[in-house]
């Protein structure tokens, strides 16, 4: 069977390009876990929503997509929600308050870094999925293949820079319950990746922001119920959450034609 050389080279070129979003997603996933040293998951979910503003600007500048005045208003609401989240808490010891302000500042900076990386990864993946004519599952194999290589390299580096035997011993001593949580976390992450891939292939990068609204609400409620010592649904967070959800739905609302 004769294989067209140009078609083969084009396929290889696209396959290699899948390494770009793989690297970006690998960096972002590790950035997410690092950021949780400084803030809680519900607050982090609000902070990283600056990616919507960045995505809108990128689509406007690069792809010449029109942004209406209504949508700009929605983006301002979103920025307002992020600002409210960064308002420091009052009360408590001075040292504790100072540490809290420092942590939220670091989390804010990490959130913006994660937002930029997320936008770059989302746009590159959308481009690849819509310009590669191969099957959906073959495309995902390409994406996860490079992702496996990259995370393996990161693991080897971690083992090289830390006490490898201590790391192995700590993993072996993990309880069955924690082990099951790790397995569930991996399965949920894989399902999330496939869901995002479907959105990128069939729709566009903005649409996936809808799911972020529901995810943020569920994360906040879950953390408040199971980890009340770490996170509570205070007025500041509820205001930020309302602004965020309103911004999401206002941004995607289509004005009625008259």
């Amino acid at each position: 069977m004769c294989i067209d050389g140009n078609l083969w080279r084009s396929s290889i070129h696209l396959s290699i390009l899948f390494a770009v979003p793989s690297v970006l997603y690998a960096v972002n996933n590790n950035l997410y876990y690092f950021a949780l040293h400084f803030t809680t998951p519900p607050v982090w979910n609000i902070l990283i929503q600056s990616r919507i503003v960045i995505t809108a600007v990128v689509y406007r500048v690069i792809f010449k997509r029109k942004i209406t005045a209504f949508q700009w208003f929605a983006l301002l609401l979103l920025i307002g929600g992020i600002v409210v989240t960064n308002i420091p808490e009052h009360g408590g010891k001075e040292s504790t308050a100072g540490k809290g302000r420092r942590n939220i500042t670091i989390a804010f900076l990490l959130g913006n870094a994660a937002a930029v990386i997320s936008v770059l990864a989302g746009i590159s993946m959308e481009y690849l999925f819509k310009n590669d004519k191969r099957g959906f599952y073959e495309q995902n194999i390409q994406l996860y293949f490079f992702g496996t290589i990259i995370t393996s390299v990161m693991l080897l580096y971690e083992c090289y820079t830390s006490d490898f035997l201590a790391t192995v011993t700590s993993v072996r001593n993990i309880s069955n319950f924690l082990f099951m949580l790790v397995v569930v976390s991996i399965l949920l992450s894989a399902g999330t990746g496939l869901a995002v891939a479907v959105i990128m292939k069939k729709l566009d990068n903005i649409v996936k922001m809808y799911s972020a609204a529901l995810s943020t609400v569920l994360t906040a409620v879950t953390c408040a119920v199971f980890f009340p010592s770490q996170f509570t649904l205070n007025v500041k967070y509820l205001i930020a959450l309302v602004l965020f959800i309103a911004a999401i739905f206002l941004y995607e609302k289509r004005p009625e034609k008259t």
Side-chain angles (χ1 to χ4, degrees), residues 145-160:
F145 170 75
F146 287 111
T148 301
I149 294 177
I150 293 161
T151 50
S152 297
V153 171
M154 296 175 72
L155 174 62
L156 291 175
Y157 175 77
E158 179 72 19
C159 293
Y160 176 76

Side-chain angles (χ1 to χ4, degrees), residues 15-19 22-23 141-151:
S15 295
I16 294 175
L17 287 179
F18 271 94
S22 294
V23 171
I141 289 174
Q142 300 283 344
L143 187 66
Y144 283 101
F145 170 75
F146 287 111
T148 301
I149 294 177
I150 293 161
T151 50

Side-chain angles (χ1 to χ4, degrees), residues 3-20 128 131-134 138 142-143 145-146:
I3 300 177
D4 189 310
N6 291 330
L7 180 61
W8 184 82
R9 282 192 294 271
S10 176
S11 178
I12 291 296
H13 177 69
L14 282 173
S15 295
I16 294 175
L17 287 179
F18 271 94
V20 174
L128 290 171
N131 288 276
D132 187 0
K133 303 303 180 184
R134 291 173 295 184
E138 186 177 354
Q142 300 283 344
L143 187 66
F145 170 75
F146 287 111

Side-chain angles (χ1 to χ4, degrees), residues 85-102:
T85 306
N86 283 274
I87 297 175
E89 298 284 356
H90 296 286
K93 296 182 179 180
E94 184 177 351
S95 59
T96 303
K99 182 179 179 181
R101 286 193 294 269
R102 183 170 62 254

Side-chain angles (χ1 to χ4, degrees), residues 124-177:
S124 62
M125 195 167 75
E126 180 180 344
Y127 170 82
L128 290 171
F129 276 134
K130 290 184 176 179
N131 288 276
D132 187 0
K133 303 303 180 184
R134 291 173 295 184
F136 173 74
Y137 290 107
E138 186 177 354
Q139 291 173 333
N140 274 276
I141 289 174
Q142 300 283 344
L143 187 66
Y144 283 101
F145 170 75
F146 287 111
T148 301
I149 294 177
I150 293 161
T151 50
S152 297
V153 171
M154 296 175 72
L155 174 62
L156 291 175
Y157 175 77
E158 179 72 19
C159 293
Y160 176 76
T161 56
S162 61
D163 189 342
F164 177 72
L165 292 178
T167 302
V168 173
T169 302
S170 64
V171 171
R172 291 182 62 182
N173 292 334
I174 192 172
S175 66
N176 291 333
F177 176 71

Side-chain angles (χ1 to χ4, degrees), residues 198-216:
V198 171
I199 292 174
M200 293 301 179
K201 187 173 181 66
K202 303 297 183 182
L203 301 168
D204 62 35
N205 194 47
I206 292 285
V207 176
K208 76 172 184 178
M209 302 304 179
Y210 270 116
S211 61
L214 179 60
S215 172
T216 301

Side-chain angles (χ1 to χ4, degrees), residues 6 15 43 78 82 93 100-101 117 197 252:
N6 291 330
S15 295
V43 174
L78 178 61
I82 296 173
K93 296 182 179 180
R101 286 193 294 269
I117 296 173
E252 286 299 306

